[in-house]
Amino acid sequence: MNSKLTAVALAAVVVAGAAVTAAPASAAAAAPTRCHTADLKAGFALGDDAKPEMGQSEKQTRAYVWFTNRSERTCTLSGFAGVDMVGAQKTDGTWSLVRSSRKPVKTTLEPGDTVDFGITLLPVAASTPQTEKFVPSKFLVTPPNETEHFTLKWPFGGQILKQDGATHPATYLDPVGL
């Protein structure tokens, strides 16, 4: 009878040991964590179909900023980037863009994957009085839920209707991934 108890106890130890060794394998399959600024690189989309139409002043246009996962791990982005436009004119200052009403989605980025977000702009004619236009020079772009930003030089020229104090300006940004 002792040998049966010993065999049962030994089997329980073996099963318990297998369960303990299985735990780390499930931890390796944990969901990816959010992307940090250091995991990413950023820039403006420069393709012909992605360039904003800054030479016209009849309608809104869009520019796109991309984030690429340059890390060796999978990570996620969800929400709105922070975007501060810095003006080229002394009177421009910095304009923090407001968010659209679109709902964010969670995007998973494998190493090397890219996701973007759109910025809607309302260009104005060059003849618009200086006090009514904002001339972009650079954009300070902060990934969602981060505090460090990328400094991106504005490559498209033109000027935007200055509405930095408006409640619903015609220049605003969408969430990452939309």
Side-chain angles (χ1 to χ4, degrees):
M1 186 118 166
N2 266 348
S3 62
K4 274 189 175 181
L5 279 176
T6 304
V8 170
L10 185 57
V13 168
V14 170
V15 170
V20 170
T21 58
S26 65
T33 58
R34 70 179 169 90
C35 302
H36 299 284
T37 304
D39 297 323
L40 303 168
K41 59 183 176 179
F44 282 106
L46 300 174
D48 287 336
D49 60 338
K51 290 180 183 176
E53 299 175 62
M54 296 304 293
Q56 58 83 31
S57 59
E58 291 80 40
K59 62 182 179 177
Q60 289 172 305
T61 188
R62 290 177 60 82
Y64 296 90
V65 174
W66 51 261
F67 292 119
T68 297
N69 180 1
R70 66 183 187 135
S71 76
E72 294 181 11
R73 68 179 187 90
T74 299
C75 60
T76 62
L77 283 175
S78 179
F80 290 84
V83 177
D84 293 328
M85 293 190 306
V86 178
Q89 305 176 119
K90 289 181 182 180
T91 57
D92 286 341
T94 300
W95 177 357
S96 296
L97 297 185
V98 299
R99 301 171 173 184
S100 73
S101 60
R102 296 183 75 184
K103 300 293 180 218
V105 296
K106 185 183 239 181
T107 302
T108 301
L109 297 175
E110 299 286 335
D113 283 354
T114 299
V115 67
D116 65 10
F117 66 92
I119 300 173
T120 301
L121 308 158
L122 182 57
V124 294
S127 60
T128 301
Q130 183 176 353
T131 58
E132 295 176 25
K133 66 182 174 184
F134 186 96
V135 181
S137 172
K138 59 186 172 181
F139 280 51
L140 308 179
V141 179
T142 308
N145 304 306
E146 287 292 297
T147 57
E148 293 183 39
H149 66 266
F150 296 98
T151 301
L152 306 178
K153 186 175 189 254
W154 177 248
F156 305 114
Q159 49 277 323
I160 301 164
L161 181 61
K162 190 170 188 173
Q163 296 180 308
D164 53 340
T167 306
H168 299 287
T171 296
Y172 56 88
L173 62 108
D174 281 331
V176 172
L178 295 180

